[in-house]
Amino acid sequence: MAATVRRQRPRRPACWALMTVLLADLLALSDTLAVMSVDLGSESMKVAIVKPGVPMEIVLNKESRRKTPVTVTLKENERFFGDSAASMAIKNPKATLRYFQQLLGKQEGNPHVALYRARFPEHELGFDPQRQTVHFQIGPQLQFSPEEVLGMVLNYSRSLAEDFAEQPIKDAVITVPAFFNQAERRAVLQAARMAGLKVLQLINDNTATALSYGVFRRKDINTTAQNVMFYDMGSGSTVCTIVTYQTVKTKEAGMQPQLQVRGVGFDRTLGGLEMELRLREHLAKLFNEQRKGQRAQDVRENPRAMAKLLREANRLKTVLSANADHMAQIEGLMDDVDFKAKVTRAEFEELCADLFERVPGPVQQALQSAEMNLDEIEQVILVGGATRVPKVQEVLLKAVGKEELGKNINADEAAAMGAVYQAAALSKAFKVKPFVVRDAVIYPILVEFTREVEDEPGLRSLKHNKRVLFSRMGPYPQRKVITFNRYNRDFHFHVNYGDLGFLGPEDLRVFGSQNLTTVKLRGVGESFKKYPDYESKGIKAHFSLDESGVLSLIRVESVFETLVEDSPEEESTLTKLGNTISSLFGGSSAPDTKENGTDTVQEEEESPAEGSKDEPGEQAELKEEAEAPMEGTSQPPPAEPQEGAAPAEEKATEKENEEKPEAQKPVFCRALDTSSGF
């Protein structure tokens, strides 16, 4: 017995050493578990984290507050963020940047750039000739683009999250307004890359709010559809969303709750900031009247005084939401002169009368896009700080015709909590209860191309064709394939936004260019020369609209097909089909079956393409690729064909979850070239 003990004793240090190594590896792994979300508002942001033992918690900043101003003060050698930067807006208004998100993805001639200059004349906006955008000119040698400023804010939000979580964090879900277009979304992604963040998803803030509402009311969701309207008026904009909740059957987890965005309406400039600017102008006018006859400088020409007035206007708006009147007072507003004036709620409502008239607009847009009426809406829920203004609630209640408005949600933090739930669902480190999210496309996207056709012998003309890739209010994420059947040499096509008739003239000007990119294909003729004995199945372009709502061109390929004779023992009705695929990406000419082979195409019955303008005989095939659903989401069904369909000769299909016949198998591939703006 003693000998056995002596033989085991030397192994104990080794065992302890092994346990120590394993524990160290486990601790190192735990450093990567935490994920975060950033609810990026116009005026302030809310940061939330999920880590082991801390499920869905709002991060406290250095001042122990749950929300942080989206404000940056930039000097030559130092930077200030959050409350520190907001406090410096009075001392150094030119170097303190706020509300800069409305400049993201905007060219210099955009109306929002002019609006920003009018609202904040203390900032000098320079012009970047290469990007055709603007930047903040802080000093002679100090300038920053809006994306760089946002990158600083996102980096600061990550530092807050890491301090709170006590571990490094790289994965994040960031909220963006639902009305952001492709340029604006890409600008946010660029800012996140500058901050060193890995963006799991850009989630629309209205969708994040709806997800938070549904997660905490999971038990109330059943097979009966419930339509809920969320009216979100924040500081910079207003978004109205109609969401349908019900349980659906999923392949992975059986019956699970689902939210589906049915309709969206918005007003880009209706919000609390515009109300505060109206109040600031009113206070400036009162101050000038008090000093009339003293040959004093106009207070509007003093940036520091105007910064003080804006801060007081913000406080005044909040107080007037609960009181009939209030005394505005600022010590030493300008030239050591104090300012004091009484402002009533009636005066405030008169100043913003035209703004309150715009409150029902997003409601009507949402109903129209959802093709619903108010009787089908069970509840209207208020979100956003500006909905606390009594007049907003009064006008909205009259517009929706309900007995009362729902206030059973945290108007400030709902989007942050919904986004962090989605972050946990997307992260591999956590497992959450599935909640199916089906977001909707706000701006339709189509492909346009022109080709020569022979109308009569010897007489040729150009025909312009359109194919809708992603229709308005169609679900995403999803993939689509469009096939060009009548090209045998190099050509190009355009990717543009579709019909934006639902936007007003001013919104169209703010939206900017409707052209997304032009794709030029090279090597098409060479692929036909290489496989002269094969039957061409057209040029296939694969598009993806990912979880963030960002469009990308995955690949373009030339597809050929041949018949392989059956062996005697096989059924005579089956044939083996081989696809020779020439990818138009990469520039490589070496055959490579594994790297460049086509994805499995899962087809449904043929249906007409949307908005087609082809003549009979023109064939452009539109298909939807099968996409593996993420955890917490489900595979969206194919978009339904719209009116204005093409003639029957035009083949256009959308595909869902059906298997392709086993006879179809890829043979080999050849890479060619393409160029586009993606």
Side-chain angles (χ1 to χ4, degrees):
M1 186 68 174
T4 303
V5 172
R6 283 196 297 269
R7 285 197 299 270
Q8 290 180 345
R9 279 175 181 169
R11 298 180 184 176
R12 287 183 177 177
C15 293
W16 282 111
L18 179 60
M19 292 178 63
T20 303
V21 171
L22 292 175
L23 182 60
D25 290 342
L26 183 60
L27 291 175
L29 178 63
S30 67
D31 288 343
T32 64
L33 291 182
V35 293
M36 62 180 286
S37 71
V38 184
D39 177 23
L40 200 61
S42 299
E43 182 179 49
S44 61
M45 65 179 177
K46 277 73 66 180
V47 182
I49 66 164
V50 170
K51 76 170 189 176
V54 184
M56 298 177 60
E57 179 65 30
I58 294 291
V59 170
L60 302 181
N61 61 18
K62 297 178 181 179
E63 289 76 21
S64 297
R65 296 179 181 175
R66 297 172 71 86
K67 66 179 180 178
T68 304
V70 181
T71 308
V72 185
T73 299
L74 302 172
K75 293 186 176 182
E76 292 293 339
N77 300 318
E78 54 185 347
R79 297 180 297 183
F80 299 90
F81 300 94
D83 292 290
S84 300
S87 63
M88 297 192 67
I90 307 298
K91 300 178 182 178
N92 197 346
K94 181 179 179 180
T96 303
L97 308 179
R98 297 177 290 176
Y99 305 103
F100 49 82
Q101 295 96 315
Q102 62 180 268
L103 299 178
L104 293 171
K106 304 291 193 305
Q107 293 191 341
E108 201 271 342
N110 195 287
H112 266 202
V113 176
L115 179 63
Y116 191 89
R117 284 193 172 107
R119 286 175 167 180
F120 307 102
E122 64 271 17
H123 296 315
E124 181 182 350
L125 294 180
F127 175 64
D128 186 341
Q130 183 176 0
R131 302 177 64 219
Q132 298 293 310
T133 56
V134 296
H135 57 251
F136 292 99
Q137 193 72 42
I138 307 300
Q141 303 298 325
L142 196 63
Q143 60 188 35
F144 298 97
S145 67
E147 291 81 6
E148 290 175 317
V149 179
L150 180 58
M152 299 177 194
V153 172
L154 291 176
N155 188 55
Y156 177 68
S157 70
R158 183 178 69 169
S159 68
L160 293 177
E162 290 179 340
D163 291 343
F164 192 81
E166 299 179 340
Q167 60 179 273
I169 298 178
K170 291 186 178 181
D171 297 344
V173 169
I174 303 174
T175 69
V176 295
F179 52 76
F180 263 22
N181 58 26
Q182 293 293 312
E184 292 166 311
R185 290 175 188 271
R186 290 180 183 276
V188 176
L189 290 175
Q190 181 184 359
R193 285 193 294 268
M194 293 179 184
L197 282 173
K198 177 185 176 183
V199 179
L200 300 175
Q201 180 182 346
L202 294 181
I203 186 171
N204 294 335
D205 47 15
N206 58 343
T207 306
T209 300
L211 178 58
S212 175
Y213 179 85
V215 164
F216 290 104
R217 292 162 180 80
R218 177 184 293 267
K219 295 181 180 179
D220 299 332
I221 302 175
N222 50 46
T223 54
T224 303
Q226 305 173 37
N227 300 319
V228 179
M229 176 181 288
F230 295 90
Y231 193 88
D232 182 359
M233 181 182 288
S235 177
S237 60
T238 299
V239 178
C240 180
T241 311
I242 298 175
V243 178
T244 299
Y245 294 95
Q246 66 181 133
T247 54
V248 296
K249 188 175 183 180
T250 62
K251 292 184 178 180
E252 299 81 6
M255 297 296 293
Q256 296 296 336
Q258 170 189 275
L259 73 84
Q260 178 182 0
V261 177
R262 299 286 302 278
V264 177
F266 58 87
D267 190 324
R268 280 179 176 261
T269 57
L270 177 62
L273 173 62
E274 185 61 31
M275 299 178 192
E276 294 166 16
L277 293 172
R278 301 281 181 94
L279 271 176
R280 182 181 71 169
E281 181 65 22
H282 178 66
L283 296 178
K285 182 180 179 181
L286 292 177
F287 183 73
N288 286 335
E289 290 177 352
Q290 290 178 6
R291 304 188 69 198
K292 191 174 182 180
Q294 301 180 19
R295 296 182 180 179
Q297 177 190 10
D298 189 340
V299 69
R300 300 181 184 88
E301 300 175 2
N302 189 313
R304 291 188 178 182
M306 292 301 285
K308 293 179 182 178
L309 286 173
L310 184 59
R311 183 176 63 181
E312 182 64 13
N314 181 286
R315 188 184 70 87
L316 195 60
K317 183 197 70 174
T318 303
V319 174
L320 288 177
S321 296
N323 297 273
D325 57 66
H326 188 67
M327 189 68 67
Q329 45 189 348
I330 304 174
E331 184 177 351
L333 175 58
M334 189 176 71
D335 299 333
D336 295 327
V337 177
D338 298 338
F339 170 63
K340 189 175 183 180
K342 183 179 180 180
V343 181
T344 65
R345 183 189 292 181
E347 290 175 327
F348 168 63
E349 292 177 353
E350 184 179 354
L351 291 170
C352 304
D354 60 319
L355 299 180
F356 297 135
E357 291 176 358
R358 290 159 55 184
V359 168
V363 175
Q364 299 303 322
Q365 292 178 27
L367 290 170
Q368 184 177 4
S369 62
E371 299 181 350
M372 300 173 66
N373 55 58
L374 285 170
D375 295 336
E376 300 176 67
I377 306 299
E378 297 183 9
Q379 193 175 12
V380 179
I381 297 177
L382 298 179
V383 189
T387 56
R388 297 186 177 98
V389 175
K391 189 65 175 179
V392 171
Q393 297 184 16
E394 177 187 334
V395 175
L396 180 61
L397 188 61
K398 183 178 180 181
V400 298
K402 302 295 181 182
E403 294 183 0
E404 60 179 358
L405 300 173
K407 302 176 184 178
N408 52 345
I409 193 172
N410 190 322
D412 290 326
E413 300 177 358
M417 298 301 284
V420 80
Y421 187 90
Q422 185 72 353
L426 296 175
S427 173
K428 297 179 181 179
F430 301 92
K431 186 170 181 61
V432 300
K433 291 183 178 180
F435 202 108
V436 183
V437 178
R438 296 183 62 196
D439 214 328
V441 177
I442 304 298
Y443 308 116
I445 298 174
L446 54 80
V447 168
E448 298 187 38
F449 56 97
T450 304
R451 64 177 300 274
E452 285 187 352
V453 296
E454 188 172 355
D455 298 329
E456 298 177 6
L459 183 62
R460 304 183 68 85
S461 63
L462 295 177
K463 295 295 182 182
H464 189 70
N465 309 282
K466 292 184 179 182
R467 290 290 179 275
V468 176
L469 282 176
F470 303 100
S471 59
R472 174 163 162 76
M473 302 314 299
Y476 75 88
Q478 62 174 315
R479 295 182 180 182
K480 290 289 182 69
V481 181
I482 182 169
T483 303
F484 303 94
N485 287 315
R486 304 295 292 273
Y487 288 94
N488 55 15
R489 62 179 183 269
D490 295 357
F491 68 101
H492 68 274
F493 60 86
H494 306 281
V495 183
N496 301 329
Y497 288 105
D499 182 14
L500 300 179
F502 58 92
L503 297 178
E506 186 64 23
D507 287 332
L508 281 174
R509 292 183 59 212
V510 172
F511 189 87
S513 173
Q514 296 187 31
N515 174 254
L516 284 168
T517 189
T518 298
V519 181
K520 298 180 180 179
L521 304 179
R522 295 183 295 270
V524 178
E526 296 177 12
S527 66
F528 277 82
K529 293 178 182 178
K530 185 173 178 63
Y531 306 106
D533 299 330
Y534 287 65
E535 180 186 358
S536 172
K537 289 300 180 180
I539 312 298
K540 294 183 181 292
H542 298 251
F543 292 89
S544 171
L545 195 65
D546 64 15
E547 298 82 4
S548 299
V550 176
L551 176 71
S552 60
L553 176 60
I554 304 174
R555 66 184 182 277
V556 184
E557 57 199 15
S558 181
V559 181
F560 298 86
E561 184 177 276
T562 186
L563 294 178
V564 180
E565 292 184 2
D566 299 335
S567 57
E569 62 272 12
E570 293 182 350
E571 294 181 10
S572 59
T573 57
L574 295 178
T575 59
K576 290 186 176 180
L577 300 179
N579 291 336
T580 301
I581 304 155
S582 299
S583 174
L584 303 185
F585 271 117
S588 170
S589 59
D592 190 346
T593 304
K594 294 182 180 179
E595 293 186 3
N596 297 321
T598 53
D599 292 345
T600 301
V601 178
Q602 299 174 340
E603 298 187 1
E604 201 180 43
E605 65 275 5
E606 294 186 356
S607 59
E610 302 173 46
S612 172
K613 292 187 177 181
D614 280 347
E615 297 297 324
E618 290 288 335
Q619 296 179 348
E621 186 179 19
L622 182 63
K623 297 181 179 180
E624 180 182 348
E625 286 189 320
E627 190 173 62
M630 302 177 301
E631 184 176 354
T633 63
S634 72
Q635 173 66 24
E640 297 180 359
Q642 304 295 319
E643 295 181 0
E649 289 84 356
E650 301 171 5
K651 297 180 180 179
T653 64
E654 293 188 358
K655 53 191 184 306
E656 206 178 29
N657 295 329
E658 291 185 13
E659 295 185 357
K660 194 174 183 179
E662 295 180 358
Q664 298 186 9
K665 296 182 180 179
V667 177
F668 43 132
C669 319
R670 183 185 177 211
L672 301 176
D673 294 327
T674 187
S675 63
S676 72
F678 286 115

